[in-house]
Amino acid sequence: IMSRKFFVGGNWKLNGDKKSLGELAQTMNAAKVDPNVEVVCGAPSIYLDFARSKLDAKFEVAAQNCYKVAKGAFTGEISPAMIKDCGVNWVILGHSERRHVFGESDELIGQKTAHALESGLCVIACIGEKLDEREGGITEKVVFAQTKVIADNVKDWSKVVLAYEPVWAIGTGKTASPQQAQEVHDKLRGWLKTNVSEAVANSVRIIYGGSVTGATCKELASQKDVDGFLVGGASLKPEFIEIINAKA
């Protein structure tokens, strides 16, 4: 089995200003980070240029969302072409906040994924079940359905990272246990093996998101199918460095 490069994404969400994000970039640039980890910071769209200019080249930047076309009469939207024009190579799509706060459908997320990849962006594609879905015993059904819509729109899996984020664990302080995370990641890999290919199942990074902190990251990182993290609040703090170095 080929080794999968550990991947840590920071999702800044709707947080930060030039002062605090400039300071965060200085902290990250000065820190000793594991060179075997791919690090991507998800900045608010208005700060994409700023983040790209302040962070060292060893760190990648991501937009937190984009639209499904390159340009047009879509007030308030940004396109993969614009993201690339800012020197940014990644986009986060399908985050639970986009799905559940802003009402984005599976279909729209699939279309966005296809267009972002066709435009040459790499995609962090997010999936995950809500608390009532987990308690109802349909976690697998939900995440497999979400994964299928993404998979139907991917040609080159080397440009995709799959982020499993149980919605009940995001920003709640509840983290899925390392065993719970490993179980879903293992099942997702099985789904990819059956429905895409064994090569893709073995090579694609499946990362975990949901209240990842310096305290929880090491045990999560030790699980064999957890290939990294998508970090929310902690990505704005110096402890983000600890999370990047979880395997070191």
Side-chain angles (χ1 to χ4, degrees), residues 220-231:
L220 281 161
S222 71
Q223 304 299 309
K224 82 174 172 66
D225 289 296
V226 174
D227 302 315
F229 304 113
L230 187 56
V231 184

Side-chain angles (χ1 to χ4, degrees), residues 12-46:
W12 297 348
K13 304 191 181 183
L14 184 59
N15 292 297
D17 51 30
K18 285 188 177 177
K19 183 175 185 292
S20 64
L21 297 176
E23 286 165 1
L24 177 65
Q26 282 183 316
T27 300
M28 287 181 62
N29 292 344
K32 194 171 168 0
V33 294
D34 184 343
N36 301 312
V37 178
E38 191 166 359
V39 180
V40 178
C41 293
S45 60
I46 199 165

Side-chain angles (χ1 to χ4, degrees), residues 88-138:
V88 171
N89 298 317
W90 286 86
V91 64
I92 301 169
L93 291 173
H95 192 278
S96 67
E97 288 149 21
R98 299 306 318 171
R99 293 174 187 270
H100 305 305
V101 180
F102 298 100
E104 291 192 12
S105 66
D106 262 342
E107 184 189 19
L108 177 60
I109 292 159
Q111 291 167 337
K112 288 181 173 194
T113 300
H115 179 63
L117 291 168
E118 282 158 12
S119 306
L121 283 181
C122 298
V123 173
I124 300 169
C126 304
I127 56 174
E129 82 284 4
K130 297 189 291 203
L131 186 59
D132 60 338
E133 293 165 338
R134 175 162 281 267
E135 287 174 345
I138 58 168

Side-chain angles (χ1 to χ4, degrees), residues 149-198:
V149 177
I150 291 158
D152 287 346
N153 289 285
V154 175
K155 292 187 181 77
D156 180 358
W157 280 92
S158 70
K159 303 278 196 275
V160 178
V161 170
L162 210 50
Y164 168 61
E165 298 202 292
V167 181
W168 48 271
I170 298 174
T172 58
K174 291 180 184 162
T175 312
S177 71
Q179 294 71 29
Q180 281 174 317
Q182 167 58 26
E183 183 185 9
V184 177
H185 284 227
D186 178 56
K187 294 212 165 105
L188 283 166
R189 225 177 274 292
W191 187 93
L192 290 167
K193 185 175 170 179
T194 303
N195 296 279
V196 183
S197 75
E198 188 166 6

